[in-house]
């Protein structure tokens, strides 16, 4: 299927209000997790800091751990959309790198204050580490299935899974290293995205070379 452009309609007033509330919850959670710790922060405190009720919180997130990964599903969907709408001339690595570029342009979560908090908690809170691995594995499986369907002559189920794992592993590893740098807070978001892209392209280069791309 050839890649095609889609026109996204302007969000309604209600959608904009929901987006603002969702953003307020994420920012409040990041600040509270940073200031008083993950285990010490309750859903009620996050809701209060965002000036909404606790019941309303659950209309946005299933629980405290889910607010740490607010855009993971959207990133997986964007990657799958890139595979589905690929240009016939694109190979598997080309499609994945294009998806990463598209996500980096529209998704600020990967280089947000929450990203820094999330990475620190990943290393210190077992529950967060378990949730992060669960989220990554779910996305990896979805992407692998779509890759195998899109490129059946180039990728069997095993190689599609390995390539999907190469993408998710490269992104998470690069982000871990970037967030661990002492000068991260002073680095422009565009620079972080560029370095993430460069690192991921390097990690996937052997796949491109093996395919003769």
């Amino acid at each position: 299927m050839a890649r095609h452009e889609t026109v996204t309609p302007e969000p309604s007033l209600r959608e904009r209000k929901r987006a603002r509330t969702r953003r307020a919850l994420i920012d409040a959670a990041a600040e509270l997790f940073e200031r008083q710790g993950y285990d010490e922060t309750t859903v009620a405190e996050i809701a209060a800091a965002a000036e909404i009720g606790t019941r309303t919180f659950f209309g946005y997130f299933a629980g405290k751990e889910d607010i740490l990964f607010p855009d993971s599903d959207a990133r997986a969907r964007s990657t799958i959309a890139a595979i589905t709408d690929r240009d016939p001339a694109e190979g598997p690595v080309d499609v994945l790198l294009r998806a990463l570029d598209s996500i980096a342009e529209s998704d600020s979560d990967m280089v947000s204050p929450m990203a820094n908090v999330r990475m620190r908690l990943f290393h210190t809170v077992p529950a967060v580490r378990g949730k992060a691995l669960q989220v990554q594995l779910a996305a990896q499986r979805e992407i692998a299935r779509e890759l195998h369907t899109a490129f059946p002559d180039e990728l069997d189920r095993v190689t599609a899974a390995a390539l999907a794992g190469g993408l998710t592993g490269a992104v998470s590893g690069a982000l871990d290293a970037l967030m661990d740098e002492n000068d991260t807070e002073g680095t422009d978001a565009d620079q972080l995205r560029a370095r993430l892209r460069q690192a991921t392209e390097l990690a996937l280069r052997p796949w491109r070379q093996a395919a003769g791309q």
Side-chain angles (χ1 to χ4, degrees), residues 2 18 29 31 33 40 44 62 74 78-79 89 103 130 187 193-194 198 203:
R18 279 189 61 84
E31 194 277 330
F33 292 157
E40 293 74 19
S78 293
T79 304
I103 291 167
T187 304
R193 292 187 183 97
Q198 181 183 35

Side-chain angles (χ1 to χ4, degrees), residues 72-153:
S72 57
D73 287 343
R75 283 194 287 271
R77 288 195 301 271
S78 293
T79 304
I80 289 169
I83 297 170
T84 303
D85 297 338
R86 70 195 181 282
D87 187 285
E90 288 184 304
V93 174
D94 297 316
V95 172
L96 294 180
L97 290 176
R98 176 167 59 81
L100 180 62
D101 289 340
S102 177
I103 291 167
E105 289 177 7
S106 60
D107 178 7
S108 61
D109 174 65
M110 290 193 296
V111 292
S112 67
M114 178 60 89
N116 283 277
V117 173
R118 179 170 58 236
M119 198 59 69
R120 282 194 287 272
L121 294 177
F122 176 87
H123 291 291
T124 58
V125 181
V128 172
R129 185 158 55 250
K131 180 66 176 180
L133 294 174
Q134 178 186 353
V135 167
Q136 180 174 321
L137 182 57
Q140 189 173 308
R141 284 176 169 169
E142 286 188 69
I143 294 167
R145 283 195 294 268
E146 292 298 324
L147 282 172
H148 174 58
T149 299
F151 301 96
D153 295 332

Side-chain angles (χ1 to χ4, degrees), residues 7 11 21 26 32 36 56 60 85 90 92 99-100 129-130 145 151 156 171 173 177-178 183 186 192 195:
V7 178
T21 300
I26 295 168
L32 287 167
Q36 62 187 37
T56 303
Y60 291 86
D85 297 338
E90 288 184 304
L100 180 62
R129 185 158 55 250
R145 283 195 294 268
F151 301 96
D156 61 18
V171 170
L178 285 168
D183 62 347
L192 289 175
R195 295 183 67 190

